[in-house]
Amino acid sequence: METFSKSDKFLDEYSATVVRIGKLEPIKNSDFLAKTQVAGFDIVVRKDQVKEGDIQIYCPIETQLRGEFLSKNNLFSDPTLNSNCAEYNKVFNTKGQDEAKKLAGFFGSNGRIRIITLRGQVSMGFIFDPKDFLKWDSNVNIYDLKEGESFDTVNGKLFIRVYYPNRADSTKVAGKKHTNGVEFVNATYREHYDTAMLNKNMARFNPDTVITISEKMDGTSWRLGYVPVRIKLPWYKKLINFIRYTYPRMEYKIIPASRRVIYYSNNKKFCNNIYRDIASKMGEFLDYDEMLYGEALGYYPDSFKPIAHKNNHIYDYGVGVGKYKIIIYRAVIKGKELNLTEVNELVNSILKDNPEYKGYLEPVNIMYCGKFKDLYPDIPVDDNWRSAVLERMKNDPKLLMEQDSPRCKPGTPSEGIVVRIVDDTMPEAFKLKCIRYQKEEAKDVDKGILTEE
């Protein structure tokens, strides 16, 4: 059995990664803390515990670590959950609470990793020495670790997973598929691929890689396909077909869906929802085996309920209450996966021929298109080019990073950006989220508010 592996529900965004510590930068007003960057994320470390060149395990924010591991390494803040509880109590009784606290950690009982700020510096995750695995499971072969490798399972045991405040109710949010009785004839109708973290994937890009950078907008994902589905025949028609083919077994249908759930159904609960409404407007622009993927923004139809909000910040993008608009960020037309510029050309051609959709359908906001090195031509193309570019992008106001969303109410943080390789050999995209936005997300998680995205 492989020591470090990926489960069937592996999500790269919420996995552990083997990293090497780079340059340690001092933090103002601290003699023992330093900042470093691992897997593209800023981390605060203790200079007496971590040195440049050390191999460490990085775990990102909004993940949950296995309780047994935390207990064996005395990482819970509640000493009764740690394996050294007896020692803690002894020190507490003889030397006092301040000394005893040094024997405990900072994790809550749920094992969640959060964004924290230390001496004004944001820290985006948790790192630890691979030898800490041995305190949990002495059979872990830490020499199997490979720098850059990501995993969520150790010796067959799930070690890390996305954090949900109510794990018992997480099946819907965890990505369970619902086809609602629709049986597809082929694999044309696909879910949208998961968007990877740019921070962890800068190695995928070279200075001459041609990219697009677009605004990431907060709404609800939708997809629409004109695809073949199997017709459910009664038994007597099946019998007739067995004797002589008479009744067709397949027909093309416009099928609307969210990210996970198919909404083609005669069931009343699926009628008049936002996905079927999108299908009624956009379905006419699809031919056989074609697909559209996009985002719905604003409010649910005829409702005061916003589609997206983070800690009371409403992402309406200028849409009035009870209305919504859509963008299309991906399209498969005539068997070809369009690049983002071509997708916008498709959208603009629809708007030209159908002006009534102006204000309802709009192109994606492309902020940059060109060679990656030309995004910041003043940054030298050397061994540090990728990390320097990533650091600049994180705070670039031209990309709306750490800025207010210009089409939402003042104070509403922009979500971030999406980077795509033009005419990539495989459909994929990479996201870079604003820290301000992630902090608002974390506050919602504190309240037990989850999204299906």
Side-chain angles (χ1 to χ4, degrees):
M1 180 176 62
E2 191 176 1
T3 305
F4 302 96
S5 57
K6 300 176 182 179
S7 69
D8 292 339
K9 295 183 178 180
F10 174 83
L11 293 170
D12 185 66
E13 184 177 351
Y14 301 104
S15 64
T17 304
V18 185
V19 298
R20 186 181 296 275
I21 299 300
K23 181 181 178 181
L24 299 181
E25 300 179 7
I27 291 178
K28 188 177 181 180
N29 299 324
S30 177
D31 294 329
F32 65 95
L33 293 179
K35 182 187 82 168
T36 189
Q37 192 176 97
V38 294
F41 296 94
D42 292 333
I43 293 287
V44 175
V45 299
R46 289 181 59 102
K47 289 187 284 188
D48 59 338
Q49 294 178 347
V50 178
K51 300 290 187 293
E52 185 175 341
D54 285 353
I55 292 294
Q56 296 276 295
I57 307 300
Y58 167 72
C59 301
I61 61 171
E62 299 309 335
T63 58
Q64 178 182 35
L65 301 189
R66 193 176 184 93
E68 296 166 358
F69 170 84
L70 296 174
S71 176
K72 292 294 184 180
N73 283 279
N74 306 312
L75 290 169
F76 284 116
S77 59
D78 181 351
T80 64
L81 300 176
N82 292 328
S83 59
N84 68 346
C85 182
E87 181 185 0
Y88 177 96
N89 289 333
K90 182 178 179 180
V91 172
F92 182 89
N93 292 328
T94 57
K95 298 182 179 181
Q97 185 179 24
D98 289 342
E99 284 299 312
K101 278 185 176 181
K102 297 177 182 179
L103 300 177
F106 54 85
F107 277 84
S109 60
N110 53 26
R112 174 190 176 191
I113 300 175
R114 313 170 52 111
I115 296 178
I116 59 174
T117 302
L118 299 169
R119 300 291 174 90
Q121 175 60 50
V122 172
S123 188
M124 300 290 290
F126 172 66
I127 61 171
F128 63 90
D129 192 307
K131 293 179 181 178
D132 292 345
F133 279 127
L134 301 177
K135 300 174 185 177
W136 163 44
D137 184 346
S138 60
N139 294 317
V140 173
N141 184 2
I142 60 175
Y143 300 104
D144 279 352
L145 290 167
K146 301 178 182 63
E147 186 178 347
E149 177 183 33
S150 293
F151 60 91
D152 64 355
T153 301
V154 180
N155 274 353
K157 301 173 184 177
L158 191 65
F159 168 71
I160 183 173
R161 59 185 176 183
V162 60
Y163 170 73
Y164 294 114
N166 187 349
R167 178 60 61 175
D169 294 334
S170 66
T171 53
K172 181 178 180 182
V173 185
K176 186 176 179 181
K177 298 179 181 180
H178 303 274
T179 61
N180 291 316
V182 179
E183 183 180 351
F184 297 102
V185 174
N186 57 36
T188 301
Y189 199 86
R190 298 183 179 92
E191 289 185 7
H192 183 56
Y193 48 78
D194 290 326
T195 306
M197 301 295 287
L198 179 66
N199 312 61
K200 294 178 65 175
N201 289 277
M202 283 298 289
R204 294 289 312 278
F205 300 90
N206 294 315
D208 288 319
T209 303
V210 179
I211 62 167
T212 57
I213 300 177
S214 59
E215 181 183 1
K216 194 174 192 310
M217 303 177 78
D218 197 351
T220 186
S221 298
W222 58 267
R223 53 190 162 126
L224 188 64
Y226 190 25
V227 293
V229 297
R230 202 169 301 282
I231 299 173
K232 294 183 178 181
L233 298 176
W235 68 268
Y236 64 89
K237 288 187 177 181
K238 291 181 182 179
L239 179 60
I240 293 173
N241 270 359
F242 181 77
I243 300 171
R244 184 181 66 183
Y245 184 81
T246 303
Y247 299 100
R249 294 297 314 277
M250 179 268 286
E251 62 181 337
Y252 272 82
K253 291 283 189 181
I254 296 291
I255 305 294
S258 66
R259 178 76 189 275
R260 306 290 184 189
V261 182
I262 304 297
Y263 282 99
Y264 181 80
S265 173
N266 292 323
N267 191 318
K268 289 183 179 180
K269 71 177 181 178
F270 296 136
C271 292
N272 301 320
N273 67 25
I274 195 168
Y275 308 102
R276 290 174 67 102
D277 190 57
I278 293 170
S280 69
K281 293 179 172 67
M282 294 291 107
E284 64 178 296
F285 304 112
L286 290 176
D287 206 341
Y288 295 133
D289 297 312
E290 293 185 342
M291 290 283 301
L292 297 176
Y293 300 81
E295 198 87 0
L297 312 165
Y299 292 81
Y300 288 99
D302 303 318
S303 170
F304 289 96
K305 182 181 178 181
I307 293 173
H309 57 90
K310 293 291 179 291
N311 191 35
N312 299 321
H313 293 298
I314 297 176
Y315 287 84
D316 59 8
Y317 299 100
V319 179
V321 174
K323 299 179 181 179
Y324 73 94
K325 64 182 176 182
I326 63 172
I327 58 171
I328 298 173
Y329 52 66
R330 184 184 174 198
V332 180
I333 304 295
K334 300 187 184 305
K336 179 190 176 184
E337 177 91 27
L338 304 186
N339 63 46
L340 192 58
T341 301
E342 292 170 334
V343 171
N344 273 2
E345 290 173 356
L346 172 66
V347 169
N348 287 327
S349 70
I350 292 175
L351 290 172
K352 180 179 178 181
D353 296 335
N354 303 269
E356 68 273 17
Y357 286 134
K358 186 177 181 180
Y360 172 75
L361 171 66
E362 66 178 44
V364 171
N365 178 19
I366 297 179
M367 301 164 156
Y368 176 79
C369 182
K371 290 184 178 180
F372 216 150
K373 67 181 181 182
D374 294 335
L375 177 62
Y376 305 117
D378 60 306
I379 295 180
V381 178
D382 54 21
D383 291 343
N384 298 317
W385 174 80
R386 291 179 179 83
S387 59
V389 168
L390 179 63
E391 200 62 28
R392 180 82 67 86
M393 293 175 74
K394 288 179 181 178
N395 295 284
D396 190 341
K398 294 180 181 178
L399 302 179
L400 298 179
M401 295 300 293
E402 305 308 331
Q403 305 296 306
D404 284 358
S405 180
R407 287 178 284 178
C408 299
K409 292 181 179 180
T412 304
S414 293
E415 182 176 0
I417 57 175
V418 179
V419 179
R420 295 174 176 85
I421 299 174
V422 175
D423 296 327
D424 201 354
T425 55
M426 60 180 288
E428 57 186 341
F430 305 89
K431 61 188 173 185
L432 181 63
K433 287 187 174 183
C434 297
I435 292 176
R436 283 182 61 200
Y437 177 88
Q438 292 181 84
K439 286 182 176 179
E440 299 304 305
E441 276 189 314
K443 291 174 184 176
D444 274 353
V445 175
D446 292 340
K447 300 173 188 175
I449 300 172
L450 306 177
T451 91
E452 295 186 22
E453 296 295 312

